[in-house]
Amino acid sequence: MDLTEYVKRVSLDDFGKPFNHYAVWNSRLTTTGGRFFPNDGHLDFSTKIYQEHGPALFRKIVRHELCHYHLFFEKRGYRHRDKEFKELLKKVDGIRYVPRKIEAVKYYYVCQTCGFSYPRNRRINQSLYRCGKCQGTLILKNHS
């Protein structure tokens, strides 16, 4: 099924209102599930979020963007901070934030003096960085 047709169906089923614009996939969206563009009314959705979290969560993201859409065209509070937006989002069981993917820690640095551990996802230059507690030397314990 076409993405625009899917959004139109969700709009009618969950809001009882038509979606009169178009929706597109946007592969550049990585941390946000979707975007609403008030200038022309179209919606963007993340292909990555859909692939990672599946269709059940994606439907909640579509509801979130449709809350922006319908409230904007009804000239009501459509921003995240607006009470009307929060109420409608709760009513239609939309999602406020996309769950963050927890990355496995790759590097563990340990202070030679006090033994404090520093988990990091990126390597650090051990000659430039010291322990924040005692200024001791950091050593790389293990990495995956």
Side-chain angles (χ1 to χ4, degrees):
M1 176 183 283
D2 180 40
L3 179 61
T4 301
E5 293 302 317
Y6 177 75
V7 174
K8 286 181 179 183
R9 188 167 49 103
V10 171
S11 182
L12 286 174
D13 293 348
D14 298 345
F15 292 85
K17 300 172 185 175
F19 174 68
N20 299 319
H21 291 81
Y22 64 97
V24 294
W25 291 110
N26 187 339
S27 61
R28 293 179 317 241
L29 296 178
T30 56
T31 58
T32 184
R35 292 189 299 187
F36 164 61
F37 291 86
N39 290 342
D40 64 355
H42 87 275
L43 303 175
D44 271 8
F45 292 102
S46 170
T47 53
K48 181 182 176 189
I49 299 295
Y50 179 79
Q51 291 164 354
E52 284 180 4
H53 297 286
L57 185 90
F58 181 70
R59 187 175 180 106
K60 292 184 178 206
I61 293 169
V62 171
R63 290 179 189 146
H64 176 107
E65 298 309 323
L66 284 171
C67 285
H68 289 298
Y69 176 86
H70 290 302
L71 290 170
F72 176 79
F73 288 109
E74 292 170 5
K75 299 195 181 346
R76 295 167 56 200
Y78 69 97
R79 294 187 177 111
H80 289 127
R81 65 177 179 244
D82 295 328
K83 185 179 178 183
E84 292 170 318
F85 176 80
K86 291 176 185 176
E87 289 172 353
L88 182 59
L89 189 64
K90 189 175 183 177
K91 180 182 172 187
V92 297
D93 189 32
I95 191 169
R96 184 91 191 258
Y97 303 105
V98 174
R100 293 187 66 179
K101 186 177 178 184
I102 299 170
E103 295 181 25
V105 175
K106 295 179 184 174
Y107 304 101
Y108 284 95
Y109 293 92
V110 179
C111 175
Q112 284 184 317
T113 308
C114 70
F116 192 79
S117 177
Y118 293 91
R120 295 287 179 263
N121 288 324
R122 293 183 179 183
R123 289 188 73 118
I124 63 170
N125 186 341
Q126 292 165 263
S127 63
L128 294 176
Y129 291 94
R130 298 281 195 160
C131 176
K133 300 211 178 283
C134 70
Q135 299 303 311
T137 306
L138 299 177
I139 58 168
L140 180 61
K141 187 173 179 182
N142 64 352
H143 70 285
S144 48

